[in-house]
Amino acid sequence: MSLRAFATSDPLDPAAVPLRSLPRPSQLERPLEIKPPRAQKALDALGVATVGDLLEHLPFRAEQRDAKPIAELVEGEEATIIGAVRRIAKRSARRRRMTLVEATVADDSGMVKVTWFNQPWLVERFPPGTRLVLHGRYGGRQSFTPRETHAAGDVAAEGLVSAYPATKGIDSTRLRELVHAERDHVHDVVEPLPARLRVAEQLADRPAALAAAHFPEGDDHADQARRRLAFEELFLLELALAARKRARREGARAAALQPGGELVQPWLETLPFAPTDDQLAAFEATDSDLAGERPMQRLLMGEVGSGKTVVALHAMLRAVEAGHQAVLMAPTETLAEQHMLTLDRLLGGLTPIELLTGSTPARRRRELLERLASGALPLVVGTHALIEPAVEFRSLAVAVVDEQHRFGVRQRAALDAKGPGDRTPHALHMTATPIPRTLQLTIYGDLRKTILSELPAGRRPVDTHVVSTAQARARAYERIREEVAAGRQCFVVCPLVEESEALQAKAATAEFERLRTTEFRDQRLALIHGQMPTKDKQEAMRSFAAREADILVATSVIEVGIDVPNATVMLIEEAERYGISQLHQLRGRVGRGEHPSLCILFGDRENARLAALAEERDGFRLAEADLALRGSGEVLGTRQHGLPEFRVAALPEDEGLLLRARSAAGAALAADPRLEAPEHALLRDATVARFGPDLDPIPA
């Protein structure tokens, strides 16, 4: 029977069954206990604690294994054979200090000698007469070394065989055996999707889909199962996002900021450049949002150097001219400091602005907190320090969150709570990381979006080259010296060393010392990394911006916020350690002035990410390539959004399915906004269980 047949086998009126009264079957909650202890620990590491968890641990592919007659085995090939044990015995191999188990296995076509290493218990487990399914490599001379061994009928080991995500201590074969042993409990799994929806979308019920995912009868069977489970995953996500958007619309209120122009218009007239058409459209969109009492929730994204900071400051000044306050929160001190310098320069003394970070001295901090609480300080830039309990605002009306994917759900909620009384600040989420369309529909599905794709006049494309040889390195250093001699400046970015800022700082410092005594001993060098005291970082950036340093040796802390139009070369060491978006941001630090610019990536020329960077300059197309290469779970760190990684759905391949799920979620909530109908009871429970209370998915 096809999976689609399962989809129409349920009654079309789910209200006839009191779904909420159905208990979770106890067998699915039964702890999974296996030996040895290291295998149990491995299961824990995979998040597999119960039978239910095991059945949700889905295979990532199915391999076609067709049994082959022993007489037709070819030397060196990997194959599956089925045969009966004729003889089996163990012996010691003293030289290698191991135990060998050797057996003669025969089928109707012939015999083969099978050898297992350090598995003495197999002698008792597979006595003569036992029929075995063996998968492994034929070494010739009637010798077969199995990678997998099963008694015939114990587990699916031929035909389509599922391969599972595994870890040290437990392999895919053992996981398949465990799933096979618990396969009868697949039918105890609760179905959250209403029958009407399954019929409309031609989806199998959940138990049938799980069974087909683990034990497919063919490629079509497995594909239908994956589609059913992926649709459910995307549908629950879209329900959560739509419900969160509705909760904001119905619940929180913000100060209505009518465009007055007393402050913003004079500021616009002082800008040393004319805003682009995209920026003008962004001003209009944010003004429209700010004018209402519904809190603005807008995502501002754009190409490197497209002028997002100007749009953010425009929104912040709207709050100030209306007698309120505004804040810009950045994920790192370095980025906050850079924003402070940029905003202060753009303001030109028009209104006070200050910086508040974890490094702000105690006395200075007390002064800033007093001015914020009294309203004397209208604008502030900072880090997580802004959301500490001691920080109070008299009337916070606009909050800009930069690189907001690097903040957690609770951190952004803490900033929302800084509004006066029961008012929530308008929120502008700003990112220099271009976001693929499919992630815009998922992670940011509850936000309005503004995209800046138009670059300011004078921006030049940056030539990008991937190199790896000593000759290329010598030429790169020579090119930097030529640029410096011509009056330009350059960046040298040191490799990303694991995920430790301290290790990155050490690497940058070592490279700085090496370069200033060798390749660039005749040039002026400055150093910046995230572990430096704030004063030292500011001095390094000041000296580079003032052309007192020719070359800035840095870590990736400079990937956003740096604006030095005179810089023309970006050299990145061990570039394959970085993601596409990060490399694109680093490249964006050059090409900001009138001179031709160059980005040199030291790394593997066969690396797909580096090849994409060399060929493509458009950040949004690069973001799509990054999504395809790395998957949605890694591109933006979805866990920081309070969202789990997709287990089944794959983006961007499943964009069509995502759009169907989005449409279905909208229809379900339009008909039953709080999912209170009997047929939606388990659907509501599944959404809350999947996304938790942080997203406030379905308000009770």
Side-chain angles (χ1 to χ4, degrees):
M1 179 183 292
S2 74
L3 283 185
R4 290 185 179 177
F6 282 105
T8 57
S9 62
D10 294 331
L12 293 184
D13 184 9
V17 181
L19 295 177
R20 187 172 286 278
S21 66
L22 292 174
R24 177 174 168 81
S26 59
Q27 282 300 314
L28 296 181
E29 295 176 338
R30 174 167 53 83
L32 203 61
E33 297 179 354
I34 64 172
K35 294 180 179 179
R38 68 172 186 154
Q40 186 72 53
K41 289 182 180 179
L43 278 183
D44 294 340
L46 291 172
V48 177
T50 66
V51 172
D53 294 335
L54 177 67
L55 297 178
E56 296 292 339
H57 188 73
L58 299 174
F60 59 88
R61 72 168 183 268
E63 301 174 351
Q64 184 66 44
R65 295 183 183 176
D66 296 319
K68 192 171 190 177
I70 291 174
E72 296 180 11
L73 291 175
V74 177
E75 183 175 351
E77 76 169 341
E78 193 165 276
T80 299
I81 61 175
I82 301 176
V85 176
R86 293 282 182 86
R87 294 184 299 274
I88 188 168
K90 63 181 177 181
R91 66 181 178 85
S92 296
R94 294 183 179 179
R95 285 187 179 180
R96 298 184 181 179
R97 296 182 180 179
M98 65 175 61
T99 300
L100 302 181
V101 173
E102 297 172 332
T104 300
V105 174
D107 64 8
D108 292 340
S109 70
M111 294 187 297
V112 70
K113 179 182 177 182
V114 180
T115 304
W116 296 270
F117 300 91
N118 288 330
Q119 299 179 66
W121 58 87
L122 295 181
V123 174
E124 294 183 3
R125 185 175 176 184
F126 300 137
T130 306
R131 284 183 58 77
L132 297 180
V133 180
L134 303 167
H135 181 77
R137 184 172 299 277
Y138 180 61
R141 297 183 180 182
Q142 302 303 108
S143 175
F144 192 89
T145 303
R147 182 158 58 87
E148 293 184 20
T149 304
H150 306 282
D154 278 359
V155 64
E158 58 176 324
L160 273 177
V161 177
S162 296
Y164 290 86
T167 190
K168 185 178 180 180
I170 190 166
D171 59 16
S172 177
T173 303
R174 184 74 187 279
L175 287 164
R176 190 164 71 248
E177 291 172 346
L178 292 172
V179 171
H180 188 274
E182 305 291 351
R183 65 181 301 166
D184 290 345
H185 298 304
V186 166
H187 302 291
D188 295 332
V189 170
V190 172
E191 170 60 78
L193 300 186
R196 286 191 181 91
L197 176 61
R198 299 202 309 275
V199 171
E201 294 293 332
Q202 295 186 303
L203 301 173
D205 63 40
R206 197 166 206 285
L210 278 178
H214 288 294
F215 314 108
E217 296 175 3
D219 290 338
D220 184 61
H221 208 229
D223 289 344
Q224 289 182 44
R226 197 203 70 82
R227 180 181 180 276
R228 157 57 171 92
L229 296 171
F231 180 90
E232 176 188 318
E233 194 168 49
L234 295 169
F235 179 62
L236 295 183
L237 170 63
E238 292 299 333
L239 278 178
L241 293 172
R244 180 169 71 174
K245 188 173 184 178
R246 188 197 66 242
R248 285 204 193 104
R249 185 173 65 246
E250 294 178 353
R253 290 289 178 266
L257 307 177
Q258 298 295 335
E262 297 86 355
L263 188 62
V264 173
Q265 194 57 40
W267 168 71
L268 287 173
E269 293 171 359
T270 65
L271 289 177
F273 52 84
T276 65
D277 290 342
D278 279 358
Q279 287 175 319
L280 293 173
F283 294 162
E284 184 177 348
T286 53
D287 278 347
S288 176
D289 287 350
L290 295 172
E293 288 193 341
R294 182 185 302 169
M296 175 174 71
Q297 289 290 336
R298 184 168 290 276
L299 174 65
L300 175 64
M301 55 184 164
E303 267 295 355
V304 176
S306 57
K308 295 177 290 295
T309 305
V310 173
V311 176
L313 184 53
H314 178 273
M316 295 168 74
L317 288 177
R318 284 294 185 206
V320 176
E321 72 177 6
H324 300 283
Q325 293 165 293
V327 61
L328 188 154
M329 185 169 73
T332 67
E333 286 195 3
T334 302
L335 185 52
E337 291 158 4
Q338 292 161 10
H339 275 307
M340 177 64 191
L341 292 172
T342 301
L343 294 177
D344 194 34
R345 185 177 69 249
L346 288 171
L347 284 168
L350 187 64
T351 189
I353 184 170
E354 298 287 356
L355 177 69
L356 179 62
T357 70
S359 298
T360 303
R363 183 175 178 179
R364 177 69 172 157
R365 173 185 165 82
R366 285 194 298 271
E367 177 192 342
L368 292 181
L369 294 188
E370 289 174 1
R371 293 172 63 194
L372 287 173
S374 68
L377 179 58
L379 294 176
V380 63
V381 178
T383 58
H384 304 75
L386 292 167
I387 59 176
E388 293 176 359
V391 180
E392 296 180 357
F393 296 83
R394 183 185 65 80
S395 182
L396 180 61
V398 171
V400 178
V401 182
D402 190 26
E403 293 299 300
Q404 71 103 44
H405 59 275
R406 294 167 68 175
F407 290 99
V409 173
R410 290 185 179 89
Q411 291 166 326
R412 297 197 298 273
L415 186 59
D416 285 346
K418 296 294 183 181
D422 60 350
R423 298 283 180 172
T424 297
H426 295 282
L428 182 65
H429 306 276
M430 188 166 69
T431 180
T433 303
I435 300 169
R437 167 182 158 81
T438 45
L439 292 187
Q440 292 178 36
L441 293 171
T442 52
I443 291 171
Y444 299 104
D446 59 334
L447 303 180
R448 295 181 177 181
K449 298 161 191 73
T450 293
I451 298 176
L452 304 182
S453 56
E454 184 181 2
L455 295 181
R459 289 301 303 267
R460 285 175 166 269
V462 180
D463 288 335
T464 304
H465 301 277
V466 182
V467 298
S468 58
T469 66
Q471 183 180 5
R473 178 175 293 278
R475 176 59 187 135
Y477 289 152
E478 182 183 2
R479 180 62 185 274
I480 288 176
R481 289 190 291 268
E482 291 171 355
E483 289 294 303
V484 171
R488 262 81 78 183
Q489 294 163 280
C490 307
F491 295 97
V492 174
V493 176
C494 293
L496 183 73
V497 185
E498 299 178 352
E499 292 299 325
S500 166
E501 282 196 15
L503 289 175
Q504 290 179 52
K506 184 177 180 180
T509 302
E511 184 68 355
F512 170 76
E513 294 294 339
R514 186 186 75 81
L515 290 174
R516 74 172 183 169
T517 58
T518 55
E519 301 292 345
F520 302 133
R521 55 183 172 274
D522 297 326
Q523 285 73 42
R524 299 169 299 171
L525 272 65
L527 171 68
I528 186 170
H529 57 72
Q531 297 289 292
M532 294 170 66
T534 298
K535 183 179 179 181
D536 292 347
K537 285 186 286 189
Q538 291 174 339
E539 175 57 26
M541 284 310 308
R542 187 207 63 76
S543 68
F544 191 64
R547 303 192 185 184
E548 295 172 7
D550 303 312
I551 300 168
L552 183 63
V553 179
T555 62
S556 56
V557 296
I558 65 160
E559 69 179 276
V560 288
I562 299 286
D563 186 10
V564 180
N566 193 49
T568 55
V569 177
M570 169 64 67
L571 185 153
I572 304 173
E573 296 283 1
E574 297 187 40
E576 66 270 13
R577 291 178 176 266
Y578 298 89
I580 285 179
S581 63
Q582 197 171 28
L583 290 169
H584 184 56
Q585 298 305 324
L586 288 168
R587 177 171 62 181
R589 298 311 101 202
V590 295
R592 306 173 81 87
E594 59 180 319
H595 305 292
S597 295
L598 175 68
C599 178
I600 303 170
L601 306 175
F602 277 105
D604 180 5
R605 300 186 67 178
E606 301 300 318
N607 183 280
R609 295 196 303 276
L610 303 190
L613 258 293
E615 295 172 6
E616 182 59 68
R617 293 179 177 135
D618 183 278
F620 287 93
R621 285 200 285 268
L622 283 171
E624 295 290 348
D626 201 15
L627 178 63
L629 287 170
R630 293 201 290 160
S632 57
E634 293 183 26
V635 170
L636 286 177
T638 52
R639 289 179 181 174
Q640 292 184 332
H641 298 272
L643 302 178
E645 295 183 14
F646 293 128
R647 298 174 183 171
V648 186
L651 298 177
E653 293 89 341
D654 281 330
E655 182 174 331
L657 199 61
L658 168 64
L659 294 174
R660 294 191 67 84
R662 185 180 180 86
S663 175
L669 289 174
D672 184 11
R674 300 187 184 277
L675 299 184
E676 295 173 326
E679 64 266 31
H680 290 152
L682 290 178
L683 179 59
R684 184 185 192 283
D685 290 347
T687 306
V688 173
R690 178 80 166 132
F691 296 102
D694 281 342
L695 283 181
D696 190 21
I698 313 290

